[in-house]
Amino acid sequence: MQSKDYEIIIGLEVHAQLATSSKMFCRCAVDVDAKPNTKVCPICLGLPGVLPQVNDQAIKLGIRAALALGCSVNLESRWARKHYFSPDLPKGYQITQYEYPLAEHGELELPGMNKKVRIRRLHLEEDAGKLIHSTRKTLVDFNRCGVPLAEIVSEPDIRSVEEADAYLKELRLVLRALGVSEAEMERGHFRCEPNISVRPKGEAELGARSEIKNLNSFKAVREGIERAAKDQIEWLEAGKEIVQTTYLWDEKLRELRPMRAKETAADYRYFPEPDLPPLIITEAEIAEIKASLPELPAAKRKRLIGADFSEQDAEVLAAEPRWEEYFAGLLDAGASIKEASTWLLNETRGILAERKETLAEFKVVPDEMAALIGFLREGKLTRPAAKELLTAMADKGKGAAELMEELDLEAVSDEGLLEETARKVIEENPDACERYHKGKTNVIGFLLGRCMAKLRGKADPKAVREMLMRLLSEGK
Ligand code: ADP
Ligand code: MG
Ligand code: ZN
């Protein structure tokens, strides 16, 4: 058999850091970049004699995510202790939810793929600390201990690397649109553990899975899944039995390193958290949160495409609330949809891509971009001059009018100056003019180029061309 005779089955577990200002069970600030071990207290360090207290904001954010993912929220859920040994886990256990999660049975639609992935559960838990390895020693930073996480577990409904990628990107968008998580993958706010198995096509039973721990980039997820599936197919072809295993992804060698034969629930010695009561949520709370949900990316995409945006533009606006806000700001300041689309979605996106910057870092505010668009519309700027002005505004953070003057970019609309320039160019190029009169009318392009150079590109080429034609026909 060949790899095309197998089906790949994928289920994804995602840990998203909730955007709270304090930790899950204590009042310490969530500030993972702070000086190591400065955002800690007896509770998150797991000292004896302390009691955890639940962070309401984290619960609210969890419910928000659950509702947006179409999950049913359990009116009663429970906390559990999950035990394992690790130097970055000072308590020796993690407080999580096990048999009774916050929410269950949701789904996420993959954009453009006509496919829904079922979500098995969403539960809340706390993060562990961080180990910092160097060649000679390992240091531990407990600032991340107790940071609130939502774990979102899919059903094994994903069938390809592309679908896995689309699922993660859409989930990330949803969480960001909700304000539930910053979901920056590089910053560890959004970590994925893919579970992968393969089976011969037509087979109904699922094969044993490989689980890959804590991946921090879309690329690692793609490559890890590809590798796991390829390995499994090879083993099956060689007649080997696949044993459920947990792996680490070695980014450099692009290899899976077995970490352990899959732990079972018994290995974690789960038991109910004795220090916390069950988490009770009321119907009224759920209704209130439901009413506060923003428009989600899927709905926004549909709305924009319905309003004649290209699929690509709709995607940009749906992907980042900031882009849509900026766009709305341009419309408020008088730009048309077409103008806003050109200057924000094409020109600005190009500038930012070139500089590897985000819109948040962009120094031009919507009102100033609208002013630039206005100058262009009034003929005070030519298109190339407008582009130059936008780049300069992005560099210096100054206003459109001020910089247009400072850089002397205003278009020459003075008929007198246009005529003077055109006359001069005609005088300087008698040969070209003669050829023009002999019928080689395309010489006009050359003369136009000369004029534009003299005017430093700041005139409307159409007006200059008309002027040249007039003078040439007069001079015949
Ligand atoms: P655990 O904590 O043991 O990893 P979970 O239930 O949290 O178990 O997660 C299991 C994940 O693995 C889910 O996303 C599920 O869809 C996926 N999964 C389960 N069985 C398979 C399988 N045979 N092949 C691929 N994915 C699977
Ligand atoms: Mg798992
Ligand atoms: Zn603390």
Side-chain angles (χ1 to χ4, degrees):
M1 279 209 265
Q2 291 178 310
S3 63
K4 65 172 170 44
D5 303 319
Y6 291 89
E7 187 177 29
I8 304 182
I9 313 285
I10 303 162
L12 299 175
E13 294 166 58
V14 167
H15 286 98
Q17 182 179 319
L18 297 174
T20 56
S21 51
S22 63
K23 292 188 181 180
M24 187 77 227
F25 301 112
C26 64
R27 304 269 174 95
C28 288
V30 172
D31 184 0
V32 171
D33 304 321
K35 195 164 168 284
N37 301 312
T38 55
K39 304 294 171 192
V40 293
C41 74
I43 295 175
C44 53
L45 288 175
L47 300 188
V50 297
L51 285 176
Q53 214 182 0
V54 171
N55 178 341
D56 270 348
Q57 186 59 19
I59 308 296
K60 288 209 172 77
L61 293 179
I63 297 173
R64 234 170 129 68
L67 292 174
L69 295 169
C71 293
S72 48
V73 175
N74 293 320
L75 298 180
E76 176 176 334
S77 62
R78 295 194 189 164
W79 303 101
R81 290 188 179 180
K82 178 182 181 180
H83 297 80
Y84 60 93
F85 175 78
S86 173
D88 57 12
L89 190 73
K91 288 204 293 281
Y93 61 84
Q94 178 189 25
I95 305 179
T96 178
Q97 296 188 303
Y98 182 54
E99 288 147 300
Y100 305 94
L102 178 68
E104 294 166 281
H105 313 306
E107 64 180 22
L108 184 65
E109 189 171 343
L110 308 185
M113 288 182 156
N114 198 15
K115 160 143 194 168
K116 286 180 177 161
V117 173
R118 289 170 301 156
I119 289 175
R120 183 179 288 178
R121 55 189 271 143
L122 181 152
H123 68 251
L124 300 174
E125 59 186 31
E126 56 175 340
D127 211 344
K130 236 191 236 174
L131 294 176
I132 301 151
H133 303 280
S134 62
T135 32
R136 300 201 27 229
K137 56 189 173 197
T138 294
L139 300 170
V140 60
D141 175 8
F142 293 118
N143 284 350
R144 204 177 65 183
C145 265
V147 165
L149 301 176
E151 177 169 342
I152 300 159
V153 182
S154 87
E155 292 292 344
D157 286 349
I158 298 164
R159 291 288 175 275
S160 66
V161 171
E162 291 71 34
E163 286 183 7
D165 204 57
Y167 173 90
L168 289 177
K169 288 188 172 146
E170 187 67 359
L171 181 56
R172 183 173 173 271
L173 282 189
V174 170
L175 297 180
R176 287 171 66 97
L178 293 169
V180 160
S181 172
E182 290 176 40
E184 301 280 9
M185 255 186 145
E186 329 70 65
R187 298 188 57 208
H189 290 166
F190 188 84
R191 313 193 286 262
C192 176
E193 300 182 2
N195 292 266
I196 306 107
S197 64
V198 303
R199 66 181 172 194
K201 279 198 180 145
E203 167 78 55
E205 300 235 323
L206 293 180
R209 62 186 153 118
S210 304
E211 174 167 356
I212 312 176
K213 279 285 158 197
N214 267 332
L215 298 176
N216 265 334
S217 72
F218 292 108
K219 181 163 164 270
V221 172
R222 273 196 310 272
E223 293 182 348
I225 292 174
E226 264 161 14
R227 185 68 207 215
K230 197 162 159 272
D231 288 351
Q232 287 197 12
I233 291 170
E234 254 174 55
W235 296 330
L236 287 181
E237 291 289 282
K240 283 189 207 157
E241 191 198 351
I242 294 175
V243 182
Q244 188 179 328
T245 306
T246 303
Y247 294 92
L248 286 177
W249 173 241
D250 187 322
E251 194 117 40
K252 283 205 195 84
L253 297 178
R254 305 179 69 229
E255 253 173 27
L256 293 169
R257 266 191 284 132
M259 213 165 109
R260 54 178 176 242
K262 173 66 192 178
E263 70 284 345
T264 62
D267 294 328
Y268 287 129
R269 291 171 295 125
Y270 277 105
F271 66 72
E273 167 59 64
D275 291 341
L276 287 171
L279 178 60
I280 306 294
I281 292 157
T282 64
E283 298 276 10
E285 266 176 283
I286 296 175
E288 192 187 325
I289 295 176
K290 200 170 219 163
S292 77
L293 294 181
E295 184 182 30
L296 293 171
K300 192 179 280 182
R301 229 178 252 124
K302 282 190 192 120
R303 175 169 59 76
L304 291 169
I305 290 172
D308 275 349
F309 280 85
S310 72
E311 237 167 83
Q312 204 196 1
D313 287 354
E315 195 49 52
V316 176
L317 294 175
E320 295 289 341
R322 205 171 245 129
W323 285 87
E324 220 206 353
E325 270 163 38
Y326 201 112
F327 198 92
L330 287 176
L331 300 188
D332 285 347
S336 71
I337 290 187
K338 178 139 194 310
E339 288 166 335
S341 176
T342 304
W343 288 92
L344 183 65
L345 300 176
N346 296 335
E347 299 301 339
T348 300
R349 211 140 67 90
I351 291 175
L352 292 175
E354 201 166 287
R355 301 174 181 215
K356 299 199 168 59
E357 281 177 9
T358 64
L359 190 59
E361 294 161 286
F362 190 52
K363 291 203 187 110
V364 183
V365 297
D367 279 351
E368 290 301 330
M369 189 181 295
L372 174 151
I373 292 171
F375 294 148
L376 179 68
R377 198 188 304 126
E378 293 158 16
K380 286 195 181 145
L381 284 173
T382 62
R383 246 190 102 79
K387 283 191 189 191
E388 189 182 334
L389 179 59
L390 184 63
T391 309
M393 287 160 72
D395 278 337
K396 305 195 171 145
K398 289 191 193 168
E402 187 187 351
L403 265 179
M404 181 165 81
E405 185 169 345
E406 197 176 308
L407 300 173
D408 191 20
L409 287 172
E410 188 166 345
V412 177
S413 49
D414 175 355
E415 285 278 312
L417 181 59
L418 288 191
E419 180 166 346
E420 190 187 316
T421 310
R423 274 191 198 289
K424 207 176 271 169
V425 167
I426 288 172
E427 255 172 51
E428 287 168 8
N429 296 281
D431 296 358
C433 295
E434 210 179 303
R435 272 188 288 147
Y436 177 81
H437 292 308
K438 284 190 182 142
K440 292 231 182 266
T441 48
N442 58 355
V443 174
I444 199 98
F446 164 77
L447 296 170
L448 176 61
R450 281 295 143 108
C451 291
M452 292 304 279
K454 277 194 197 299
L455 293 163
R456 295 188 31 239
K458 294 187 303 177
D460 175 8
K462 231 173 81 199
V464 179
R465 176 188 287 268
E466 274 161 19
M467 178 67 73
L468 278 168
M469 307 248 276
R470 206 187 81 213
L471 295 178
L472 285 166
S473 63
E474 276 172 7
K476 217 176 352 189

